[in-house]
Amino acid sequence: MDQLLLLWIKEKQLAGDFVSEATICERAGAIFQDLKRDVTEMDGESSQGGEGFKASRGWFDNFKKRSGIHSVIVMEKHLVEILRRLKISLMFLKNSLVKKDT
């Protein structure tokens, strides 16, 4: 599953798409379900029930260690900080324009 997820992450990054922790966890769950369905269909069993998968924070931290994708989180934190600063700048600009009009 890790290899499929890493391939998906690389494809998204090459396409210029931002890949967040939440997006990776969501995709991991979808890959798990696809793999589970494929295996149970090969075995002639139902894919309902059985062992589940939760892409928890702990799972994601371990996935980062296994795969070395630390840059995803670093990039996400930088983007959050950039967005925070932009919001402050926009508020300042808006206040300046309102004061100028009065």
Side-chain angles (χ1 to χ4, degrees), residues 7 11 13 20 24-25 27 31 33 35 37 42 54 61 65 67 72 74 76 79 83 85 94:
L7 179 63
E11 287 174 353
Q13 288 175 333
S20 69
I24 291 171
C25 289
R27 183 63 182 170
I31 290 172
Q33 290 302 321
L35 291 172
R37 185 188 65 243
M42 285 176 26
K54 179 162 175 37
D61 289 341
K65 290 175 190 172
S67 63
V72 170
V74 171
E76 183 175 3
L79 286 174
L83 289 173
R85 289 181 184 187
K94 181 180 176 184

Side-chain angles (χ1 to χ4, degrees), residues 69-84:
I69 60 160
H70 302 287
S71 62
V72 170
I73 297 308
V74 171
M75 190 168 109
E76 183 175 3
K77 287 180 181 176
H78 286 299
L79 286 174
V80 167
E81 179 61 20
I82 289 169
L83 289 173
R84 185 186 71 77

Side-chain angles (χ1 to χ4, degrees), residues 7-92:
L7 179 63
W8 177 82
I9 291 169
K10 289 179 186 191
E11 287 174 353
K12 297 299 260 179
Q13 288 175 333
L14 287 173
D17 296 336
F18 173 69
V19 183
S20 69
E21 176 180 345
T23 307
I24 291 171
C25 289
E26 184 179 311
R27 183 63 182 170
I31 290 172
F32 175 82
Q33 290 302 321
D34 288 345
L35 291 172
K36 181 180 172 184
R37 185 188 65 243
D38 291 348
V39 167
T40 54
E41 286 175 1
M42 285 176 26
D43 292 343
E45 300 173 7
S46 169
S47 61
Q48 301 296 321
E51 185 180 312
F53 170 77
K54 179 162 175 37
S56 65
R57 178 66 180 215
W59 172 86
F60 186 75
D61 289 341
N62 289 329
F63 174 71
K64 282 192 316 183
K65 290 175 190 172
R66 290 190 306 270
S67 63
I69 60 160
H70 302 287
S71 62
V72 170
I73 297 308
V74 171
M75 190 168 109
E76 183 175 3
K77 287 180 181 176
H78 286 299
L79 286 174
V80 167
E81 179 61 20
I82 289 169
L83 289 173
R84 185 186 71 77
R85 289 181 184 187
L86 281 172
K87 184 177 179 181
I88 291 169
S89 297
L90 287 173
M91 287 173 38
F92 177 77

